[in-house]
Amino acid sequence: MADGGIGRILALSDGVFAIALTLLILDIVVPAATTDDELGKVLLHLWPRYLAYALSFLVIARFWVIHHQTFRLIVRDNATLVWLNFLLLFFIAFLPFPTAVLGGHEGAPAAAVLYATALFLTSASSAAYLWYATGRGKLIRPDVGRGQIRAMRARSMSGPVLFALSVPIAAVAPYGAEAVWIFAFPLARMSFVWFFAEEPGQQGSPGPPLP
Amino acid sequence: MADGGIGRILALSDGVFAIALTLLILDIVVPAATTDDELGKVLLHLWPRYLAYALSFLVIARFWVIHHQTFRLIVRDNATLVWLNFLLLFFIAFLPFPTAVLGGHEGAPAAAVLYATALFLTSASSAAYLWYATGRGKLIRPDVGRGQIRAMRARSMSGPVLFALSVPIAAVAPYGAEAVWIFAFPLARMSFVWFFAEEPGQQGSPGPPLP
Amino acid sequence: MADGGIGRILALSDGVFAIALTLLILDIVVPAATTDDELGKVLLHLWPRYLAYALSFLVIARFWVIHHQTFRLIVRDNATLVWLNFLLLFFIAFLPFPTAVLGGHEGAPAAAVLYATALFLTSASSAAYLWYATGRGKLIRPDVGRGQIRAMRARSMSGPVLFALSVPIAAVAPYGAEAVWIFAFPLARMSFVWFFAEEPGQQGSPGPPLP
Amino acid sequence: MADGGIGRILALSDGVFAIALTLLILDIVVPAATTDDELGKVLLHLWPRYLAYALSFLVIARFWVIHHQTFRLIVRDNATLVWLNFLLLFFIAFLPFPTAVLGGHEGAPAAAVLYATALFLTSASSAAYLWYATGRGKLIRPDVGRGQIRAMRARSMSGPVLFALSVPIAAVAPYGAEAVWIFAFPLARMSFVWFFAEEPGQQGSPGPPLP
């Protein structure tokens, strides 16, 4: 029963993630008046849109990976978790808009500030449900150790901190902010590999069966 | 078998809910002719669209939560339930349109009347499948008490009543109607918390296993 | 294993159905130049688009119901079934286009012929996988009687026949074709209720457990 | 647990595949200024868009079938598989763009080169996760024979090789490249039937139960 409840939260979330990932491409369009001869040049000049597409795809993919890892540990749901999860989905579904603005206004401070703010709010809401589920909500598997929880919580703060720092940078140096976002990804990626590498060992142990 | 049937109804419904939630963002666009210098101002002037986006996201999320709670109690499906569910999905999939009209015509009575009417029809169809499943359809778990059913049915009427009242208000005072919609949400939210808070106790009890 | 295979076919199919249902709304737009004063009139003048939206929603919903009923009986999959199912999804995903044309060119013979042809091809491919699965493919549960199979096959022909007939009607009398489509739905609906009404009895019988 | 992990990877992937398949139709639009009298002619003149739609639908469907077959053999997931799968989804979600360009610029070398390159990158990433899962990753069922793995790996190279060859062809003879893509499909299709035809026998064998 509880599992059935979580199952639908995941189904809805996966749907929103999948659609946000796929809608990003709708921002890349060749102007209708383009002739066949100009086409090659026009396609190359769209590079800021390709970059914005790739960046947002990576960012949404990473939030999905965090969601996937966290919900593997969650065994119960409640109303607060449902609404914190909706808060995350709200910002995930919003991301195609700042992506489109960034792709169309490469180098404009306003576009970079909007994007940085959106990433900050998304990562803050991603941390929020993780903190709630592993803390007050008591929704995770009883066999998850305190050390692992502390590590997950600490790691969940790297996004909000980095993206908050990138907001003022975006206002004065838009390209600098983009460098932070691109740098933030592989950095966080490495800690992720380290975390994931641990898990198989735990999966191999018998442990209590999940309800 | 019956469960497999319900499983697909939920999968299709979650898909429609997820897409409706995510399509809302397609209405927020920066005009193509915007220069980098104007961008900041243009982004701020889009506030009616952000508001319409947030309002509709909340509204669709709430209909999903009601759907989620109700279908937790449903153990069988039949043709009438399938079509009443499609009636709800019809209005859920329709909501991006009144949202776009409201975001583009903030303060216009016609936009507010359209939105109020759409919300009324959606909440009425949301009540319809709930009443059918818990009443004539006899589709819910046998261990659900009469008191709980009565409470659910009563609560399901708050949406249609409030949104029906907001239609004439929208015609004469569009911003007043918006206040009703925003007020309606937290109000209904509170009763939802109260309802959900009860459930864990029931889940803890052994009860008959679900098929 | 086989079930896992069918599970993913259903997940992909439900995704395509859900998106096709929801994308239909993107065709209903208020022209950008509309003033607040004109808005009410403009919204009413969009009625051919609302009608096309409702008609296509009903049609896609019905194809989903047939899909749902048929796959309840299917216990194995193979390559032919996968590709016949893709043929159906191809036409389901195509339907938003003729819907948009019909909504924008109410009464034009070319729009009605396109819509009739699309419905004919969709219903023919819907019949194709049903005939294959219940016939040469031998993919259905062994306890499904010959009489039930014969009834399902006969019923699956009503769509192709009706929609094929509506193609020449659409060419000379577009509104006559629309009447056929709207009439075809409730008619087929009734036979569906009759079919569905039978099922509970079969479900109540013990029967062999599904793999 | 591992299964739950794979379940969500599949749910997200099926979502992206389903949306990519369905978004393709958004590129086919009748110009707003079209009169009812011209409509028939305009609809016929859209044939390059219908062709691009059908081609991309087939291509995405085939990548889904490969995904479906490969993940039937995969019993464990890890971080590398998740990110290789995202690499595939990145290119799947990208395909609606080259499809739109090809449909709007039939016969332009730049459009054909873009499409060929996109297909090459998609098929290369499709081969990448297959090679990883069956090789270093050791993620597949222990009862899958070395011969079957070798056959799958060999077959997975046909796409990258063919589509890489089509890039230079597209630059000098765009229609020649289209012939290669259309020819590549049925060819690969045949080997697929041969592969799938084998499976039922293996499914019939008892084999170790999947976790």
Side-chain angles (χ1 to χ4, degrees):
Chain A
M1 182 86 179
D3 208 27
I6 291 178
R8 280 199 73 186
I9 297 171
L10 298 182
L12 187 84
S13 304
D14 286 344
V16 170
F17 276 105
I19 302 155
L21 283 171
T22 324
L23 283 188
L24 296 170
I25 201 63
L26 295 183
D27 293 322
I28 311 186
V29 268
V30 167
T34 310
T35 66
D36 285 7
D37 288 340
E38 307 168 305
L39 185 59
K41 213 182 251 179
V42 169
L43 288 175
L44 294 177
H45 278 169
L46 286 172
W47 68 265
R49 296 215 169 255
Y50 303 137
L51 192 72
Y53 172 70
L55 181 61
S56 290
F57 195 99
L58 272 179
V59 163
I60 297 178
R62 246 191 72 72
F63 284 118
W64 183 83
V65 167
I66 297 168
H67 197 270
H68 179 41
Q69 290 177 332
T70 310
F71 271 87
R72 275 187 157 181
L73 306 181
I74 292 178
V75 286
R76 285 186 304 128
D77 67 322
N78 65 17
T80 310
L81 182 71
V82 166
W83 285 103
L84 285 175
N85 191 52
F86 267 124
L87 190 69
L88 173 68
L89 297 183
F90 179 82
F91 290 116
I92 292 288
F94 185 75
L95 282 179
F97 173 62
T99 305
V101 175
L102 190 73
H105 296 271
E106 178 76 8
V113 168
L114 173 68
Y115 197 84
T117 309
L119 287 192
F120 165 68
L121 292 170
T122 314
S123 61
S125 59
S126 180
Y129 79 82
L130 189 150
W131 277 65
Y132 175 74
T134 57
R136 265 194 61 199
K138 294 185 184 167
L139 303 176
I140 59 168
R141 286 160 46 194
D143 63 326
V144 179
R146 300 197 123 235
Q148 196 183 344
I149 291 177
R150 226 176 294 126
M152 286 173 71
R153 287 178 153 218
R155 214 169 33 245
S156 77
M157 296 315 289
S158 66
V161 168
L162 257 161
F163 293 130
L165 286 174
S166 81
V167 175
I169 299 174
V172 294
Y175 291 103
E178 289 197 30
V180 170
W181 304 326
I182 294 168
F183 184 67
F185 178 76
L187 202 120
R189 173 81 181 72
M190 271 157 45
S191 63
F192 153 70
V193 166
W194 161 81
F195 165 68
F196 218 108
E198 267 194 335
E199 267 203 322
Q202 292 170 351
Q203 286 177 11
S205 73
L210 295 180
Chain B
M1 182 87 180
D3 210 26
I6 291 178
R8 282 199 72 186
I9 297 171
L10 298 182
L12 187 84
S13 304
D14 286 344
V16 170
F17 275 105
I19 301 155
L21 283 171
T22 324
L23 283 188
L24 295 170
I25 202 63
L26 295 183
D27 293 323
I28 311 187
V29 268
V30 167
T34 310
T35 66
D36 286 7
D37 288 341
E38 306 168 306
L39 185 59
K41 211 182 252 180
V42 168
L43 288 174
L44 294 177
H45 278 167
L46 286 171
W47 69 264
R49 296 215 170 255
Y50 303 137
L51 192 73
Y53 171 70
L55 182 60
S56 290
F57 195 99
L58 272 180
V59 163
I60 297 178
R62 245 191 72 72
F63 284 118
W64 183 84
V65 166
I66 296 168
H67 197 270
H68 179 41
Q69 291 177 331
T70 309
F71 271 86
R72 275 187 157 180
L73 306 181
I74 293 179
V75 287
R76 285 185 302 128
D77 67 322
N78 64 18
T80 309
L81 182 71
V82 166
W83 286 103
L84 285 175
N85 191 53
F86 266 124
L87 190 69
L88 173 68
L89 297 183
F90 179 82
F91 290 117
I92 292 288
F94 185 75
L95 283 179
F97 173 62
T99 305
V101 174
L102 190 73
H105 295 272
E106 178 77 8
V113 168
L114 173 69
Y115 198 84
T117 309
L119 288 191
F120 165 68
L121 292 170
T122 315
S123 60
S125 59
S126 180
Y129 80 82
L130 190 149
W131 278 66
Y132 175 74
T134 56
R136 264 194 63 201
K138 295 185 184 167
L139 303 176
I140 59 168
R141 287 161 45 195
D143 63 326
V144 180
R146 299 197 123 236
Q148 197 183 343
I149 290 177
R150 226 176 293 127
M152 286 173 70
R153 288 177 153 218
R155 216 170 32 244
S156 76
M157 296 315 290
S158 66
V161 168
L162 256 160
F163 293 130
L165 286 175
S166 79
V167 175
I169 300 175
V172 294
Y175 291 103
E178 289 197 31
V180 170
W181 303 327
I182 294 168
F183 184 68
F185 177 76
L187 203 121
R189 172 80 182 73
M190 271 158 44
S191 63
F192 153 70
V193 166
W194 160 81
F195 165 67
F196 217 108
E198 267 194 334
E199 267 201 323
Q202 293 170 350
Q203 285 177 12
S205 72
L210 294 181
Chain C
M1 182 85 180
D3 209 26
I6 291 178
R8 281 200 73 187
I9 297 171
L10 298 182
L12 187 84
S13 304
D14 286 345
V16 170
F17 276 105
I19 302 155
L21 283 172
T22 325
L23 284 188
L24 295 169
I25 201 64
L26 295 183
D27 293 322
I28 312 187
V29 268
V30 167
T34 310
T35 66
D36 285 8
D37 288 341
E38 305 168 308
L39 185 59
K41 213 182 250 180
V42 169
L43 288 175
L44 294 177
H45 278 168
L46 287 172
W47 68 265
R49 296 214 170 257
Y50 303 138
L51 191 72
Y53 172 70
L55 181 60
S56 290
F57 195 98
L58 272 180
V59 163
I60 297 178
R62 245 191 73 71
F63 284 117
W64 183 84
V65 167
I66 297 169
H67 197 269
H68 179 42
Q69 290 176 331
T70 310
F71 271 87
R72 275 187 156 180
L73 306 182
I74 293 179
V75 287
R76 284 186 304 128
D77 67 324
N78 65 18
T80 309
L81 181 71
V82 166
W83 285 103
L84 285 176
N85 191 52
F86 266 124
L87 190 69
L88 173 68
L89 297 184
F90 179 83
F91 290 116
I92 292 289
F94 185 76
L95 282 179
F97 173 63
T99 305
V101 174
L102 190 73
H105 296 272
E106 178 77 8
V113 168
L114 173 68
Y115 197 84
T117 309
L119 288 191
F120 165 68
L121 292 171
T122 314
S123 61
S125 59
S126 179
Y129 79 83
L130 189 149
W131 277 65
Y132 175 74
T134 56
R136 265 195 60 201
K138 294 184 184 167
L139 304 176
I140 59 169
R141 286 161 45 196
D143 62 327
V144 180
R146 301 197 121 237
Q148 197 183 343
I149 291 178
R150 224 175 295 127
M152 285 173 72
R153 289 177 152 217
R155 215 169 33 244
S156 77
M157 296 314 290
S158 67
V161 168
L162 257 160
F163 292 130
L165 286 174
S166 79
V167 175
I169 300 174
V172 293
Y175 291 103
E178 289 197 32
V180 170
W181 304 326
I182 294 167
F183 184 67
F185 178 75
L187 203 119
R189 172 81 182 72
M190 271 159 44
S191 63
F192 153 71
V193 166
W194 160 80
F195 166 67
F196 218 109
E198 265 194 334
E199 267 202 323
Q202 293 171 349
Q203 285 178 11
S205 73
L210 294 182
Chain D
M1 182 87 179
D3 209 27
I6 291 178
R8 280 199 74 187
I9 297 172
L10 299 182
L12 187 83
S13 304
D14 286 344
V16 170
F17 276 105
I19 302 155
L21 283 171
T22 325
L23 284 188
L24 296 170
I25 202 64
L26 295 183
D27 293 323
I28 311 187
V29 267
V30 167
T34 310
T35 65
D36 285 8
D37 288 341
E38 306 168 306
L39 185 59
K41 214 182 250 179
V42 169
L43 288 174
L44 293 177
H45 279 169
L46 287 172
W47 68 265
R49 298 215 169 256
Y50 303 136
L51 191 72
Y53 171 71
L55 181 60
S56 290
F57 195 98
L58 272 180
V59 163
I60 298 177
R62 244 192 72 71
F63 284 117
W64 183 83
V65 166
I66 296 169
H67 197 270
H68 178 42
Q69 290 177 332
T70 309
F71 271 87
R72 275 188 157 179
L73 305 181
I74 293 178
V75 286
R76 284 186 304 127
D77 67 322
N78 65 18
T80 310
L81 181 71
V82 166
W83 285 103
L84 285 175
N85 191 52
F86 266 124
L87 191 68
L88 173 69
L89 297 183
F90 179 82
F91 291 116
I92 293 288
F94 185 75
L95 282 179
F97 173 63
T99 305
V101 175
L102 190 73
H105 296 271
E106 178 77 8
V113 168
L114 173 68
Y115 197 84
T117 309
L119 288 191
F120 165 68
L121 292 170
T122 314
S123 60
S125 59
S126 180
Y129 79 82
L130 188 149
W131 277 64
Y132 175 75
T134 56
R136 266 195 60 200
K138 294 184 184 166
L139 303 175
I140 59 168
R141 284 161 48 194
D143 63 326
V144 180
R146 300 197 122 235
Q148 196 183 345
I149 291 177
R150 225 175 295 128
M152 286 173 70
R153 288 178 152 218
R155 214 168 35 242
S156 76
M157 296 315 289
S158 66
V161 169
L162 256 160
F163 292 130
L165 285 175
S166 81
V167 175
I169 299 174
V172 293
Y175 291 102
E178 289 198 31
V180 171
W181 305 326
I182 294 168
F183 184 67
F185 178 76
L187 202 120
R189 173 80 182 73
M190 270 157 45
S191 63
F192 153 71
V193 166
W194 160 82
F195 166 67
F196 218 109
E198 267 193 335
E199 267 203 323
Q202 292 170 349
Q203 285 178 11
S205 74
L210 294 181

